[in-house]
Structure formats: structure tokens, C-alpha cells
Amino acid sequence: MKELSVTSRVRNEMIDITESVSRAVADAPVEAGFCVVFVPHTTAAVTINENADPDVPRDLLAKLASVYPQEDHYHHSEGNSDAHLKAALVGPSVVIPLREGRLALGRWQGIFFCEFDGPRRRQVWIQVR
Amino acid sequence: MKELSVTSRVRNEMIDITESVSRAVADAPVEAGFCVVFVPHTTAAVTINENADPDVPRDLLAKLASVYPQEDHYHHSEGNSDAHLKAALVGPSVVIPLREGRLALGRWQGIFFCEFDGPRRRQVWIQVR
Amino acid sequence: MKELSVTSRVRNEMIDITESVSRAVADAPVEAGFCVVFVPHTTAAVTINENADPDVPRDLLAKLASVYPQEDHYHHSEGNSDAHLKAALVGPSVVIPLREGRLALGRWQGIFFCEFDGPRRRQVWIQVR
């Protein structure tokens, strides 16, 4: 299993990790199978979406913040229930098929680490099989 | 990896692809393991839900459209930020265990390709391992 | 494939199944690979989140109920369209990498069965590969 470090700079941020994941896959001796990208945190997540126009992740984060605002009638005392919610909904992992030993992603797809309670130093685990 | 073509006819649509995925699994020489259904697009997704009553996908699409409306304070100029949002939340892949070489789905579960920016011709990738 | 029974006591409930999943993984002769936790229902789901403070799942369920209320302009006659929606968004499966034959979870992560239409007797399927 490969480990990747990601450093977020603001509270909500989508960080493109496609290249790092591609490199981890290139190092693995697997031709056909899967790559699992797993986030071992409870206030961050991982997703796949368009990485061409930065307005796409910008709109995504803004709308999520409006549906799941930081301040609400929450009980959890750390003030980050919105981050737990977004992490559970976006999800802690993505599974990407491999083709000829490489990530089989669509033309416009990039892999994003989703920070919902930054800034923090985070980890991403990559398993190829 | 098998490739499946899906053609959507309207902007938001859930298309039952359970039978096509089942056939792809039947063709694979794997007894126990996983099937990954992967959507290589950024404004479409895949999910598993009830495929008995068409009102279930109908309610699902209607409520998602009300929480994530097409018109909002978005910056992305293509006018489909709602589709990117829904794609990220529903997710680009599902993983289904295999039992005796067949999809292990629950009694009421069907696999749905989720179109959020149709009509379009789309692809679905199916990897069995 | 291992099968786990889960009994929910109320309509919306997050049940920590981390220990049961860990035991199923310990029984499997796999050192490195994945564990897939799959929920074969259409009104329940599975997610990973903090299992230290019970206020986290409490906030999660309360906010989901406010964004996706049980009563709305739904067509599905069984009165549980909200449960189908939440099941599709939280998702029917999680994939967790293995390290040295054990679940590779982050320090604060637990695996939760998410009941959205209880109380019911439910199943969880666990596949290790």
C-alpha cells in the first residue's frame, strides 16, 4: 500500500491528486484490476470529477457549504459536524479500474482529495490489486 | 474490461443496467470476487437502488433537482454545475461482490446509470476480478 | 462471503459494525487486498465516519432528515422515498484496504451500517479479496 501526504491550506478545498495516484499505479506490477484510493480521515473525502475548469470544484464546495452549513443545530462539540456530513456523503474511497496497468479514467476525470475541515496535513492510501 | 454504451434521452434519467452488468459478469471466469461498475464521465454517476417501482428513481431525481437546482449562483460557464455536484455525491462507481460467479445483489436492488446532463451517449466500464 | 445480521431499533440509526467486519477480515486468508462491505437493501447504506463521539452520527442523521424529509412531494406509495434517497447518496458499499491481513482504517474511523427505514432485521455482506 502506498501512502501519500496532502496538505490543505483552507477549511474547504479540493486538491487534484490524479498524478500522484497515477504514479503509484505505475509502480505496481498489476496489469488489470483495481486501484482503491482511501482517505483515513472522518472530515475529508475523495471523489472523481472534472479537473479542467477550477470553477467546477469551486461550485461544488460552495453548494455543499450552502446545503450543509458549518453552523447549524449540531450537538457535536468540535464545530465540524458539517465536515463529518460532507465526508460521509462524498465518501472515503473511490475505486478505479486499471487497463494495461494504468488508471482507466474518463477524458475529463480527475481524482480530488476533498478537505472539509482544513487546513491540515492529511494522508491518502492507495492500494492496487 | 467490458464496455457498455448507454444512451440517455432527457437531462436527468436513471437507466437500469442490471441485466447488462449481469451478462458481463457471466462472461468473466471469476467465481468469487468483485464487480466494479465505473462511469468515466463527470456529469453522470452510478448507483444501486430499487428497480421495481419506477416512482423510486422518479422521486430520487426530483428531490436531487430540488436540493441541487440547475440554476444557482454557479461560476462554471457550462451551466451544468448541478450535474457535476450530483455526479460527485452519487459517485462514479459501485462495487458489488460476486457469489458463485454471479452478482450478489439484494432482492430489490438494481444497478442504475444516473444521467444528470443528458441527453447524451455514454459509456459504462465493467471490471470483474 | 461472510454474512452479518444487523437489527435496527428505530427508523434512522447508525450502527457501528467495525468489530464484526474486523473479525470477518481476520478469518480470511488474505494479507493485502480489499474488504468490501455491501448492504443488499435499498433503504439502508454503509459509511465510514467517527465512532468516538455519538453526537457525530446523531448530527449526521438529523441533518440528513432535514435535507431529505420523510414527508415531501413524493410519488412512491410506500412512504419511504427519503430512505431510498439517503441510501443512494450514502451508498451501498465501502471498500477498505487491508494491511498485513487487517482492516487499514484511520485512527478515528469506524464502519457504520446506516438504517433509514427501520426498525428492521438487515443483512451486511463482507467480501475479502
Side-chain angles (χ1 to χ4, degrees), chain A residues 1 3 34 36 38-42 67-69 72 74-76 81 84-85 88-89 92-93 95 125 127 129, chain C residues 32-34 47-50 53 55-56 58-60 63-64 67-68 89-90 95 97-99 104-106 108-109:
Chain A
M1 191 157 73
E3 299 195 16
F34 310 121
V36 171
F38 185 83
V39 169
H41 306 286
T42 60
V67 176
Y68 303 100
D72 212 326
Y74 298 124
H75 291 89
H76 181 48
S81 285
H84 287 290
L85 263 157
L89 289 169
S93 65
V95 182
W125 297 345
Q127 182 89 302
R129 217 67 204 161
Chain C
F34 310 121
T47 195
I48 291 174
N49 217 284
E50 185 189 315
D53 178 2
D55 278 341
V56 170
R58 180 188 180 189
D59 285 347
L60 229 139
K63 186 64 185 174
L64 282 178
V67 177
Y68 303 101
L89 289 168
V90 174
V95 181
L98 303 185
R99 189 161 39 194
L105 285 171
W108 301 105
Q109 287 183 316

Side-chain angles (χ1 to χ4, degrees), chain C residues 79-101:
Chain C
N80 61 356
S81 285
D82 64 318
H84 287 290
L85 263 157
K86 291 188 270 187
L89 289 168
V90 174
S93 66
V94 291
V95 181
I96 305 148
L98 303 185
R99 189 161 39 194
E100 296 171 16

Side-chain angles (χ1 to χ4, degrees), chain B residues 1 10 13 38 59 69-70 74 76-77 93 96-97 108-109 116 119:
Chain B
M1 193 157 70
V10 291
E13 187 177 2
F38 185 82
D59 285 347
Q70 186 175 2
Y74 298 125
H76 181 48
S77 61
S93 66
I96 305 147
W108 301 105
Q109 287 184 315
F116 297 126

